Amino acid sequence: PSVLDSFALLSGQLNTLNKVLKHEKTPLLRNQVIIPLVLSPDRDEEIMRQTEGRVPVFSHEVVPDHLRTKPDPEVEEQEKQLITDAARISPDVAQKQIQSLNKMCSNLLEKISKEERESESGGLRQNKQTFNPADTNALVAAVAFGKGLSNRRPPGSGGSVQSGQPGAGGIIAGASGMQQVPMSGAPAQQQPMLAGVQMTQAGQPGKI
């Protein structure tokens, strides 16, 4: 209830203030002059907070700059010179200069947009995928595990493939050789071979 009472009081005061400001007899605030009443060379933390650290003090040195409503005299002289130079130019010459400036700006915008398009297309080319992940996975599975390879040997290859013989027979033989077979002349307790590599017992080094 206390919060609601305070809110109702503030709302009523704001409505009253708005009515006063909107009244036709109230002068416009933009026509009023701000006069500094208190100037101090000491550091003011409240001003620091309101100005986000830009104005540490509100002294005689900074007041003319921060409460200035007109530009510097040098800037006023430059503006007067520019206005005088502009008044001397005829409308036709001014129109030609405007067209020339617009042409230069349009050419510059075209160059900028072209550079942006080229950079975007270059980035797309760099990010474009140059391989098929499914084919890569199938190839890796075929080489590592023999997945998808046929067990049939080509005619004339016999029961074994000679070492160094080129062709697909070596691949098929290598793929089919991934079954566990005992080594000839080895005792029965010896570990089986997996793809030509002897499985090591615990505590014994392996042999190729």
Side-chain angles (χ1 to χ4, degrees), residues 51-163:
T51 59
E52 298 179 355
R54 292 188 297 269
V55 182
V57 294
F58 199 64
S59 61
H60 297 78
E61 183 179 0
V62 300
V63 164
D65 294 332
H66 291 287
L67 298 184
R68 184 192 303 273
T69 57
K70 295 177 64 177
D72 294 333
E74 294 83 1
V75 178
E76 286 186 347
E77 292 296 331
Q78 292 179 1
E79 287 185 354
K80 289 179 181 179
Q81 185 66 28
L82 291 175
I83 293 174
T84 304
D85 294 341
R88 295 175 182 173
I89 301 176
S90 62
D92 296 337
V93 176
Q95 189 66 27
K96 290 180 180 179
Q97 291 182 357
I98 291 173
Q99 293 177 357
S100 176
L101 180 62
N102 290 335
K103 185 177 180 180
M104 291 173 59
C105 293
S106 61
N107 292 335
L108 183 60
L109 289 175
E110 288 179 359
K111 290 182 180 179
I112 294 174
S113 60
K114 183 179 179 181
E115 291 291 336
E116 290 179 351
R117 288 195 299 269
E118 290 180 354
S119 62
E120 290 178 358
S121 61
L124 291 176
R125 284 196 298 269
Q126 292 179 359
N127 296 331
K128 186 177 180 181
Q129 200 170 15
T130 57
F131 64 95
N132 190 352
D135 294 344
T136 303
N137 294 333
L139 183 60
V140 170
V143 172
F145 308 109
K147 183 178 180 181
L149 297 180
S150 174
N151 291 328
R152 294 181 301 165
R153 293 193 177 99
S157 62
S160 62
V161 180
Q162 297 179 1
S163 62

